[in-house]
Amino acid sequence: MSEVVSYARDGRIAIIMVDNPPVNALSLPVRQGLAQSFQTFMADPAALAAVLICNGRTFIAGADITEFDKPIEEPWLPKVIHQIEDCTKPVVAAIHGTALGGGLETAMACHYRVAVASAQVGLPEVSLGLLPGATGTQRLPRLAGVRTALDAMISGKPLSAAAAHQKGIVDQVIDGDLKAGAVAFAEELLKGGKGPRVIRNIKIDAASLTPNFFADYRKSIARDTRGFFAPEQIVKCVEAAVSLPYFDAVKRENELFMQCMNSSQSKAQRHLFFAEREVAKIPDVPKDTPARTIKKVAVVGGGTMGGGIAMNFANVGIPVILKEVNQEALDRGMNIIRSNYEGPVKKGKLSQAQMDKCMALIQPTLNYADLSDADLVIEAVFETMAVKMEVFGKLDEVCKVGAILASNTSTLNVDEIAASTKRPADVIGLHFFAPANVMTLLEIVRGAKTAKDVVATCMALAKTIRKMGVLVRVCFGFVGNRMYFPYIREAQRMMLEGVAPERLDRVVYEWGMAMGPHGVSDLSGLDVFDKLNKEWKDKPNDPAYCRMIGLLVAKGRLGQKSGAGIYKYEGRNPVPDPEVMKLARQEATALKIPQLEISDEEIIERLFIAMINEGALILDEGIAMRPSDIDVVYCHGYGMPRYRGGPMQYADSLGLGRVHSAMQKYRARYGDLYWTPAPLIEKLAKSGKTFAQWNAERG
Ligand code: T1G
């Protein structure tokens, strides 16, 4: 018997148990063990039915994703799936935890499925750029219907046991002990003379589909799946399920699965899956570092950011005090929060009771004294060092010993802020991204003196408030914004060289970004960028640097908020403004900047290679711990599509040699100032290695 799959008998019921921590993934030993155990089951005359169950925290949570980057060894999962299904004695899957991907596919190979109420089932392969490649695209439509199956596979979202039962995926929800319940279910089958229910033999009722069902379905998912490869392959598999005999459709599924698996998109999305788990691992802060208890939070500053930040804590039941300087500002802050909750209530995504509960957890105040028992205080006031220093001086006076003092600054020096207090070890940066109650990224800025338990506390807190916490060090712009500056710089430069904003933004949108750089600049506010540029001590010595932003701000064109910026605005809709390119041409003449014919490829190259080079400098300086951390920052905070995997994964997909030669090409045209390759890029281009290989070798 294998170590990860055991065979035993409970009376006349065989118990086949998988025990492969942490999530019972279907690694090669598990597939071999299952094949062996079901052979034993069929050869065991005393076993009249079988229960497939898992030890540990969950039923099988899928194929072993770590196996995908090497040749998958036999027996492949579909073969084991059909061995289970072809058993002539009934097999019952007993589900707890999350039966996901290959786990649910294995459960659907079984003739029946029972689950505890807390269990979830799903086919999330699409989030890995894959499709359910072990007959899941054929079984789920047979069990739950075509529409439910498509929705589950395209969204990747799991269903609760109750929902799965209601849809016919699960046959019974078990109260009490799962194994006992599953054995009892199997006994009932035997008593009732019920044999195997072979899912593949269930006919899909194609007549129930409207003539344009698949065309309409494709339209309905187009916006949410823009640029992704796998979703269309899933729809094709379900079309095959409806129109082809089962094994022909399974063959089609396998062909499309291999296309997905070998795609750069899936490599990028699988990279992100592991990257999002790696971010929590801090080499010099062990996992068991004791965290401080955070029972009460205070937010100083009730503006858009402060209000959004406060909501994150109220949403998870943590009381928050919101402090402002005067009643008018405080009322405005509370109204921002109220309207942020009213939106989802109106859309039915939040109940009025839930909103009321969250609102009741946010206590407004004008007095610093009310912050004295807060465990964590987050400052979200005006982005100038003088104002922040004043706030931290007050916090130093009133906050209790052991309180964590955090700044939401997006660029200022957290070490300088810490130095203005008597407790620099308790000071950290918590950089939320607007809208703070929506964006999942949280840059956790570790100061030179920040205590390890403060780091551990904030990393754990990020998970609690459902944020992706990425630990970064102090520099101007930390990781995300610092890499965004050269990206904006190149977009601005190309405007002076004759590339209209609407064209550049369209090219970038088609590449996959949620919004082009000019649209983002207008959304964030050109004055915000202009102020940063003015405050930036080491600003490049280049008169053309973001010149158009400065000119437009001087004309009162601040972006969306003033009705005009790089674009004119009809409501929130950006409209190209010929005046802007006229101004750009005038400025280019004054600056002696030639108009250029710039291809779409050059637009993408200059924007993203400038960003990648800054990322390499950030790694050289130790501001980010790993290249994959940078990728998490960009896919959670800057609208980079998951199928690109992030800037550093994108660089790896291009090859660092190509990145390096692009840098040299632009260096020849523009000089060393912006286009000198980072030392790490020089090194990797020479060695032919990727950022990922370099990171793995560092250990
Ligand atoms: N393969 C390998 N390792 C996995 C894994 C998997 N499927 N799932 C999780 N891990 C590791 C993870 O990297 C982490 O490792 C540890 O387990 C705990 O995970 C053929 C092709 C199950 C909901 O997509 O969604 O089946 O960091 O931190 O928050 O059609 O893990 O500790 O070293 O996430 O409690 C489809 C992926 C695969 C499910 C648990 N299945 N996993 O969440 O723990 S493709 C999935 C999850 C497939 C078939 C197709 C979650 C979880 P480490 P964790 P968690």
Side-chain angles (χ1 to χ4, degrees):
M1 211 40 68
S2 89
E3 281 157 32
V4 290
V5 180
S6 60
Y7 180 91
R9 218 163 358 84
D10 181 339
R12 56 187 185 167
I13 311 297
I15 307 295
I16 295 172
M17 178 177 281
V18 178
D19 186 9
N20 182 32
V23 298
N24 289 312
L26 284 156
S27 59
L28 176 62
V30 171
R31 300 195 300 275
Q32 290 166 329
L34 286 172
Q36 201 179 351
S37 296
F38 279 97
Q39 248 172 345
T40 307
F41 164 56
M42 284 308 292
D44 182 352
L48 304 185
V51 164
L52 172 61
I53 194 165
C54 292
N55 199 12
R57 62 189 189 163
T58 177
F59 190 78
I60 300 164
D64 184 340
I65 308 172
T66 62
E67 288 186 351
F68 290 149
D69 291 326
K70 49 201 184 221
I72 298 184
E73 294 179 63
E74 290 283 359
W76 283 22
L77 186 54
K79 188 174 175 192
V80 176
I81 289 263
H82 289 120
Q83 180 191 346
I84 294 170
E85 182 166 52
D86 291 343
C87 287
T88 52
K89 300 184 277 187
V91 179
V92 178
I95 298 170
H96 72 294
T98 48
L100 299 174
L104 178 56
E105 290 175 302
T106 303
M108 292 192 293
C110 299
H111 307 117
Y112 303 91
R113 285 147 297 284
V114 299
V116 291
S118 57
Q120 292 188 313
V121 301
L123 295 175
E125 288 88 337
V126 71
S127 60
L128 298 169
L130 298 170
L131 56 84
T135 73
T137 65
Q138 307 303 307
R139 293 176 187 282
L140 196 56
R142 284 171 164 79
L143 272 178
V146 170
R147 157 74 72 175
T148 298
L150 276 169
D151 288 347
M153 292 188 281
I154 296 295
S155 70
K157 290 200 179 86
L159 288 83
S160 66
H165 183 224
Q166 192 264 327
K167 301 281 184 187
I169 302 164
V170 161
D171 298 292
Q172 189 177 84
V173 177
I174 301 291
D175 273 335
D177 181 74
L178 175 61
K179 185 178 156 195
V183 168
F185 184 90
E187 284 290 353
E188 281 306 304
L189 291 175
L190 297 176
K191 283 187 193 117
K194 273 191 167 184
R197 180 183 179 228
V198 179
I199 305 304
R200 70 168 181 261
N201 295 340
I202 296 171
K203 279 271 161 279
I204 295 176
D205 176 13
S208 64
L209 302 176
T210 56
N212 295 329
F213 173 83
F214 286 104
D216 294 345
Y217 193 82
R218 285 184 166 97
K219 278 198 204 101
S220 73
I221 63 171
R223 194 171 63 87
D224 290 343
T225 62
R226 176 174 75 91
F228 284 91
F229 176 71
E232 171 56 22
Q233 313 325 310
I234 290 172
V235 178
K236 284 178 185 167
C237 285
V238 176
E239 283 180 312
V242 173
S243 56
L244 295 179
Y246 173 81
F247 283 106
D248 293 348
V250 165
K251 189 167 170 293
R252 180 79 175 126
E253 176 193 82
N254 184 259
E255 287 161 7
L256 296 174
F257 174 77
M258 292 313 289
Q259 287 181 32
C260 289
M261 176 130 96
N262 296 325
S263 69
S264 63
Q265 288 201 4
S266 182
K267 286 185 177 63
Q269 290 174 253
R270 298 193 315 259
H271 158 78
L272 274 178
F273 174 86
F274 292 111
E276 288 165 340
R277 285 151 181 83
E278 202 64 18
V279 284
K281 296 170 187 169
I282 306 158
D284 71 330
V285 180
K287 208 168 177 178
D288 59 0
T289 303
R292 296 185 190 179
T293 307
I294 304 293
K295 286 206 176 97
K296 190 171 186 181
V297 173
V299 176
V300 180
T304 313
M305 286 304 285
I309 292 170
M311 291 173 68
N312 288 304
F313 295 95
N315 293 345
V316 293
I318 298 175
V320 193
I321 307 168
L322 184 68
K323 198 264 176 214
E324 256 296 359
V325 285
N326 58 52
Q327 195 58 49
E328 188 205 344
L330 193 55
D331 294 345
R332 190 170 51 245
M334 291 304 287
N335 289 334
I336 287 173
I337 294 170
R338 191 169 293 105
S339 62
N340 285 345
Y341 279 121
E342 278 163 353
V345 169
K346 282 193 190 103
K347 290 180 192 154
K349 290 184 178 168
L350 190 74
S351 71
Q352 186 61 51
Q354 285 166 316
M355 172 179 166
D356 297 344
K357 186 165 165 248
C358 291
M359 287 302 297
L361 282 166
I362 301 173
Q363 291 306 312
T365 183
L366 297 174
N367 307 315
Y368 271 109
D370 292 339
L371 279 53
S372 61
D373 62 345
D375 303 301
L376 163 69
V377 183
I378 303 172
E379 161 275 311
V381 298
F382 201 59
E383 187 75 357
T384 62
M385 191 55 94
V387 176
K388 293 190 185 299
M389 292 264 194
E390 186 195 334
V391 168
F392 272 81
K394 277 280 184 196
L395 296 178
D396 216 2
E397 280 169 33
V398 303
C399 292
K400 67 181 183 183
V401 171
I404 294 174
L405 309 183
S407 171
N408 173 53
T409 181
S410 55
T411 55
L412 298 178
N413 189 314
V414 171
D415 289 333
E416 278 180 39
I417 295 172
S420 73
T421 73
K422 300 185 202 66
R423 51 176 107 183
D426 295 337
V427 177
I428 196 165
L430 290 179
H431 177 211
F432 290 81
F433 285 72
N437 54 309
V438 174
M439 293 299 277
T440 52
L441 178 62
L442 176 62
E443 276 185 327
I444 299 174
V445 188
R446 180 179 190 174
K449 296 193 172 143
T450 303
K452 290 188 178 185
D453 69 327
V454 171
V455 170
T457 304
C458 291
M459 291 299 286
L461 194 61
K463 266 197 161 177
T464 304
I465 60 173
R466 304 183 204 116
K467 295 289 182 187
M468 184 57 71
V470 183
L471 191 66
V472 299
R473 285 283 187 181
V474 175
C475 71
F476 187 73
F478 311 132
V479 170
N481 282 348
R482 177 170 158 184
M483 290 171 66
Y484 212 70
F485 296 149
Y487 174 79
I488 295 291
R489 177 199 78 217
E490 285 308 300
Q492 285 282 309
R493 173 78 193 205
M494 284 189 267
M495 197 194 299
L496 291 174
E497 292 171 340
V499 180
E502 58 275 17
R503 174 182 168 226
L504 185 132
D505 277 359
R506 175 180 50 73
V507 169
V508 173
Y509 178 80
E510 285 167 3
W511 183 85
M513 296 295 277
M515 187 187 279
H518 296 310
V520 171
S521 301
D522 270 357
L523 182 64
S524 310
L526 301 184
D527 51 331
V528 173
F529 279 97
D530 193 43
K531 181 173 167 297
L532 281 177
N533 293 341
K534 288 190 176 107
E535 284 195 347
W536 185 4
K537 296 187 193 98
D538 318 325
K539 188 180 142 194
N541 177 19
D542 165 13
Y545 183 85
C546 290
R547 184 75 187 114
M548 285 302 294
I549 286 180
L551 286 177
L552 291 168
V553 169
K555 291 173 175 291
R557 296 179 64 129
L558 309 183
Q560 258 193 45
K561 61 187 168 186
S562 68
I566 294 168
Y567 297 102
K568 279 188 297 192
Y569 286 86
E570 288 161 8
R572 294 169 63 89
N573 295 327
V575 176
D577 181 352
E579 284 306 306
V580 170
M581 281 312 286
K582 195 170 146 210
L583 182 63
R585 278 191 295 278
Q586 287 166 2
E587 198 55 26
T589 308
L591 291 167
K592 297 188 179 46
I593 290 176
Q595 300 299 284
L596 299 175
E597 281 305 311
I598 296 178
S599 67
D600 292 0
E601 292 69 30
E602 178 173 331
I603 288 173
I604 293 301
E605 207 172 52
R606 282 172 60 178
L607 291 172
F608 291 104
I609 293 209
M611 179 191 283
I612 288 161
N613 196 58
E614 198 64 34
L617 289 169
I618 280 171
L619 290 166
D620 275 329
E621 295 164 26
I623 300 295
M625 287 190 290
R626 337 176 162 83
S628 56
D629 284 9
I630 293 173
D631 290 335
V632 171
V633 166
Y634 263 78
C635 291
H636 280 269
Y638 290 81
M640 186 164 279
R642 293 182 69 84
Y643 62 76
R644 297 283 183 184
M648 311 317 270
Q649 169 68 17
Y650 178 58
D652 282 352
S653 70
L654 296 175
L656 274 302
R658 181 169 155 200
V659 170
H660 185 263
S661 25
M663 291 290 294
Q664 297 294 52
K665 174 172 61 174
Y666 298 118
R667 188 181 194 176
R669 190 194 298 174
Y670 296 107
D672 298 346
L673 180 61
Y674 299 137
W675 297 102
T676 301
L680 181 55
I681 286 185
E682 289 281 6
K683 189 168 106 179
L684 296 181
K686 281 199 185 78
S687 65
K689 288 197 175 114
T690 62
F691 282 119
Q693 287 162 336
W694 166 77
N695 186 54
E697 284 164 10
R698 288 194 302 170

